Every structure is written in structure tokens, then in C-alpha cells.
């Protein structure tokens, strides 16, 4: 219709009408593009909000996992300390020299200690708990989706985006570091087998007797103590990163939900 009218105006040499039709067409195209852009922006904001919500769910799950891993590692350390004490052997080290002191400032010595002493009325509880190894396996579904689709750019807050990438980079490093713990765990299991101590049914007294009889077994216990202590340390750091990220994301969501301050006090008829 616009084109037909424009043609008629050109034939009639009504240049004002031609100009007016042209303005109408350009304005219509402009409005159409703006509406399209606004809709796209609203869609992006909705996707961003959904991603942030899912990231909080994932990292909240990670928090529970770090606590479980750390608690199991602490129990292993308490059992090792108890075995060495009852065997009247040198106790495990309270500190470990670590020049770079990753995760926290220190003087070069990292403190290693369990949360609480181990005690149980069940005779096999110590040996059974010593066989329990939990490993860190963070939930990556949402982050992997952000990376694979390129939607990481939808996260407008640069601090959150960088910290999110740092969080999952740290997770990869922790998983690599746990290879040493797994090696110590397998060595300790093999050493117990040599003394006839299996994964279940053996007692604390069996572990004490093995440590008394074998300096190698006692040394393996101490190495496993150190590895477990570093696992607790890495879980504490991962927990701090996740907690801080969750707090930042929740603050971002709260800010996005608040009305524009510039609209306050404006009366809407």
C-alpha cells in the first residue's frame, strides 16, 4: 500500500508527500528494528537470569560435596593419628613445608590437623573408615553449557564471569592434584593386604600391630595423612570460591530485580 501510494505521489510530482511517505517507511523500519532488539535483549536477560540461577544450584551442590570430602579426609587423619599413637610411634607431622603456600598466605609451613579425634565402639570402624576415599567432582552442567554455546558472554558482570572461570579452573587443578592422594590410597590398601587386613572386618588392633611391625607401613600412614591434609586444604579453598561466587550472583540477581531508581517518584497516569 505504501509503495503504491509512493508511486502515485511520484507521478503527481507531490514531492512533499513523497518525502512524508519516505519518513514513514524509515520510521517504521526503525521502530521494527528497535522492537526486535528490545525483544532480543529481553530474551538474553532471561537466559542470563536462568544461567545464574542454575549456577547457584550447581555450586550449592558443590558446597555439600566439599564438606563431605573434607569430613571423610579428617576422619582418615584422625584414625592414622590414633594408630600411630597406640603403636607408640612418631606422630604424624603437624606442619608441612610448602614454599609457595597456595590458597593462603603463610610462612612456608602448612598446618595439617584433623577436626576431631577418632572414637568408635565398633572394633572394625577404624579400618572401615580408613578405606573410605571421597574425591572432588564438581557439577559442571551449566558451566559447560555456557562455554559450549558461547553464552558465557551473556553474563554482563565481568567480575562474576572471571571468578566463574577461575572457580572451574581451580576445580580442574584440584582434580589433578588428587591423583597423588589416590596413589597413596592404593599403596596403603596394598600394604594392609600384605598384613592380612582387608577392606572390612579388621580391627584397630590389627592396624596398630601392622604399624608396630613395619616401618614402611607406618611411613605410608604418615604419607596418607599429609595427602589427606592437603585434600582438606583444597576443599576449604574450593568452598570459599563457591561461597563467594554464590553471594556475588545472588547480589547481582537482587540488583536486577530492583526497579530503576530513575523511575522512582514518576507518576504513571
Amino acid at each position: 500500500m505504501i509503495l503504491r501510494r509512493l508511486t502515485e505521489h511520484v507521478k503527481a510530482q507531490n514531492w512533499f508527500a513523497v518525502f512524508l511517505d519516505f519518513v514513514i517507511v524509515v520510521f517504521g523500519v526503525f521502530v521494527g528494528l528497535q522492537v526486535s532488539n528490545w525483544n532480543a535483549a529481553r530474551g538474553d536477560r532471561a537466559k542470563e537470569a536462568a544461567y545464574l540461577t542454575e549456577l547457584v544450584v550447581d555450586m550449592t551442590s558443590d558446597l555439600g560435596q566439599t564438606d563431605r570430602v573434607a569430613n571423610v579426609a579428617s576422619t582418615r587423619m584422625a584414625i592414622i593419628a590414633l594408630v600411630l599413637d597406640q603403636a607408640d610411634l612418631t606422630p604424624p607431622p603437624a606442619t608441612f613445608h610448602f614454599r609457595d603456600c597456595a590458597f593462603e598466605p603463610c610462612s612456608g609451613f602448612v598446618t595439617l590437623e584433623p577436626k576431631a579425634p577418632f572414637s568408635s565402639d565398633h572394633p572394625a570402624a577404624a579400618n572401615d573408615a580408613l578405606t573410605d576415599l571421597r574425591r572432588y567432582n564438581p557439577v559442571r552442567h551449566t558451566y559447560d553449557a555456557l562455554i559450549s554455546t558461547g553464552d558465557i558472554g551473556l553474563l554482563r558482570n565481568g567480575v562474576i564471569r572471571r571468578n566463574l572461570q577461575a572457580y572451574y579452573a581451580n576445580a580442574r587443578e584440584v582434580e589433578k592434584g588428587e591423583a597423588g592422594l589416590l596413589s597413596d590410597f592404593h599403596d596403603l590398601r596394598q600394604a594392609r593386604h600384605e598384613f592380612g587386613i582387608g577392606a572390612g572386618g579388621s580391627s584397630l588392633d590389627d592396624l596398630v600391630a601392622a604399624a608396630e611391625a613395619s616401618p614402611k607401613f607406618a611411613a605410608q600412614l604418615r604419607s596418607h595423612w599429609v595427602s589427606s591434609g592437603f585434600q582438606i586444604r583444597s576443599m576449604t579453598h574450593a568452598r570459599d570460591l563457591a561461597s563467594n561466587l554464590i553471594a556475588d550472583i545472588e547480589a547481582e540477581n537482587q540488583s536486577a530485580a530492583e526497579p530503576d531508581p530513575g523511575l522512582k517518584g514518576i507518576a504513571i497516569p
Side-chain angles (χ1 to χ4, degrees):
M1 181 177 178
I2 291 291
L3 182 60
R4 185 172 68 249
R5 190 172 63 186
L6 181 61
T7 302
E8 292 173 354
H9 290 158
V10 169
K11 289 179 178 179
Q13 296 187 357
N14 186 346
W15 304 120
F16 177 77
V18 170
F19 173 76
L20 187 60
D21 288 341
F22 177 76
V23 170
I24 292 173
V25 170
V26 171
F27 181 74
V29 171
F30 173 77
V31 171
L33 289 174
Q34 285 297 106
V35 170
S36 177
N37 290 338
W38 289 334
N39 287 336
R42 288 179 62 187
D44 287 346
R45 298 293 71 79
K47 288 179 68 175
E48 179 192 33
Y51 275 128
L52 291 175
T53 298
E54 291 168 2
L55 284 168
V56 168
V57 172
D58 289 352
M59 287 184 288
T60 300
S61 176
D62 292 348
L63 289 179
Q65 186 178 167
T66 58
D67 289 344
R68 288 189 295 273
V69 171
N71 287 337
V72 169
S74 180
T75 298
R76 286 197 309 270
M77 294 177 73
I79 292 168
I80 292 170
L82 181 60
V83 169
L84 294 177
D85 178 65
Q86 292 200 6
D88 199 22
L89 297 172
T90 303
T95 60
F96 187 87
H97 184 262
F98 198 64
R99 184 181 60 185
D100 293 334
C101 287
F103 307 151
E104 63 185 39
C106 66
S107 60
F109 289 91
V110 175
T111 300
L112 304 172
E113 58 181 357
K115 293 182 180 178
F118 178 81
S119 63
S120 175
D121 294 333
H122 195 286
N127 181 62
D128 291 351
L130 197 60
T131 66
D132 190 3
L133 178 66
R134 306 292 177 91
R135 299 181 67 186
Y136 182 53
N137 185 27
V139 181
R140 302 177 182 273
H141 308 312
T142 306
Y143 181 71
D144 287 347
L146 280 168
I147 297 301
S148 63
T149 61
D151 283 348
I152 187 73
L154 293 178
L155 306 185
R156 292 169 294 170
N157 189 313
V159 173
I160 289 178
R161 190 169 58 248
R162 288 190 296 272
N163 289 344
L164 185 66
Q165 293 168 322
Y167 173 73
Y168 285 100
N170 175 75
R172 287 194 296 271
E173 292 304 311
V174 170
E175 290 174 309
K176 291 178 184 177
E178 287 193 330
L181 173 68
L182 185 61
S183 176
D184 286 344
F185 183 80
H186 287 158
D187 289 345
L188 188 61
R189 182 176 62 181
Q190 183 62 36
R192 283 182 298 169
H193 287 172
E194 293 174 2
F195 285 95
I197 302 173
S202 298
S203 68
L204 174 64
D205 291 340
D206 294 329
L207 292 172
V208 172
E212 290 173 334
S214 172
K216 179 181 178 180
F217 182 66
Q220 287 172 321
L221 287 173
R222 292 191 184 91
S223 293
H224 200 51
W225 157 282
V226 172
S227 296
S228 298
F230 273 94
Q231 188 182 36
I232 292 174
R233 193 164 177 266
S234 63
M235 290 302 99
T236 300
H237 181 60
R239 190 182 214 291
D240 289 343
L241 291 178
S243 297
N244 291 338
L245 254 174
I246 289 172
D248 289 344
I249 290 173
E250 289 178 341
E252 180 77 3
N253 284 339
Q254 178 64 32
S255 175
E258 292 176 355
D260 188 339
L263 298 178
K264 294 181 179 179
I266 298 178
I268 300 177

